[in-house]
Amino acid sequence: DQQVKQNSPSLSVQEGRISILNCDYTNSMFDYFLWYKKYPAEGPTFLISISSIKDKNEDGRFTVFLNKSAKHLSLHIVPSQPGDSAVYFCAASSYNQGGKLIFGQGTELSVKP
Amino acid sequence: DARVTQTPRDKVTEMGQEVTMRCQPILGHNTVFWYRQTMMQGLELLAYFRNRAPLDDSGMPKDRFSAEMPDATLATLKIQPSEPRDSAVYFCASGLDTSNQPQHFGDGTRLSIL
């Protein structure tokens, strides 16, 4: 039972355009959602997060949107840069369940110059 | 920037050997998590600790895996005996036990069991 799903294994975007990465979840107990970026041979790096009491959080070029009724979140990167090319993982947790992260399978983003 | 440190970065050993992976969490963090990444399963939680006490190790094969925190600066994950199916990248992460705080990951130990 996969509680967090990223249905697109890969995404290719032109430099300067918007990248939109999507994530769906099934567990309504999740109250905290995160996006991590991962380069090869490195650990996941925290990018941005959102609490379930919000529907949007913005940090520079990165914005995360949360739609609780649809159990859906998305990460927008504007404008996309070649250095953004990496695997992006969506993760979710519930404080009442110990804060352990449940990860999606990842989406590999390629930003082409 | 404070970082989670994992050693070794790479480990190749033969089936049946004991493997020990180490993690130094970020100073001041009181939760430590062990994850495993494989092609088939993605990133999955093996075990985690809060204030050095094990809270959940349901993700670990208990007959061969063990996780401990001898002190606040060291977490270990052992496999004995190792099997080829244990080949994966093992990540350690640490965080603060308050709501809405991200976990921070080390660069992992790439384990290959021949």
Side-chain angles (χ1 to χ4, degrees):
Chain A
D1 176 29
Q2 202 171 347
Q3 298 184 65
V4 179
K5 294 182 185 178
Q6 293 175 257
N7 291 318
S8 298
S10 62
L11 175 68
S12 184
V13 170
Q14 206 68 32
E15 181 179 6
R17 306 295 288 266
I18 184 171
S19 295
I20 300 176
L21 297 103
N22 293 302
C23 179
D24 297 295
Y25 63 95
T26 57
N27 189 342
S28 57
M29 295 295 293
F30 289 144
D31 53 21
Y32 186 50
F33 303 89
L34 309 89
W35 285 94
Y36 284 84
K37 179 169 73 171
K38 187 181 181 305
Y39 294 118
E42 293 184 11
T45 301
F46 170 69
L47 193 57
I48 192 169
S49 63
I50 188 166
S51 159
S52 60
I53 63 173
K54 294 187 173 181
D55 54 20
K56 177 182 173 182
N57 188 27
E58 194 171 350
D59 183 2
R61 297 185 297 114
F62 303 90
T63 303
V64 56
F65 295 92
L66 176 63
N67 182 335
K68 285 194 296 294
S69 61
K71 293 193 176 68
H72 177 84
L73 67 154
S74 60
L75 174 68
H76 292 209
I77 306 174
V78 181
S80 302
Q81 299 173 354
D84 297 329
S85 297
V87 178
Y88 288 78
F89 289 95
C90 161
S93 71
S94 165
Y95 184 72
N96 289 336
Q97 293 175 351
K100 56 189 178 184
L101 293 176
I102 308 298
F103 282 88
Q105 293 293 91
T107 297
E108 184 172 8
L109 174 65
S110 176
V111 180
K112 302 198 181 302
Chain B
D1 270 352
R3 291 184 61 82
V4 174
T5 304
Q6 289 187 248
T7 56
R9 286 298 311 272
D10 293 277
K11 177 74 176 179
V12 181
T13 191
E14 293 187 344
M15 178 173 130
Q17 296 298 304
E18 177 177 301
V19 173
T20 299
M21 291 169 273
R22 292 178 176 81
C23 168
Q24 181 176 3
I26 291 172
L27 189 65
H29 282 185
N30 64 339
T31 57
V32 174
F33 300 79
W34 283 104
Y35 294 89
R36 175 170 64 182
Q37 184 181 26
T38 61
M39 289 295 293
M40 294 299 295
Q41 299 294 329
L43 272 161
E44 53 178 351
L45 179 72
L46 296 176
Y48 73 101
F49 296 78
R50 181 185 296 153
N51 297 323
R52 294 177 54 203
L55 286 193
D56 185 351
D57 61 2
S58 59
M60 274 192 338
K62 295 191 188 47
D63 56 336
R64 299 184 299 108
F65 284 59
S66 62
E68 296 179 348
M69 277 202 76
D71 60 61
T73 65
L74 177 64
T76 62
L77 180 66
K78 289 187 182 179
I79 309 175
Q80 168 63 15
S82 57
E83 296 181 3
R85 60 179 166 153
D86 302 329
S87 298
V89 182
Y90 290 80
F91 290 104
C92 175
S94 71
L96 288 169
D97 179 32
T98 53
S99 61
N100 300 343
Q101 291 294 322
Q103 295 172 24
H104 297 275
F105 283 74
D107 284 335
T109 294
R110 183 179 300 274
L111 178 64
S112 296
I113 308 297
L114 306 176

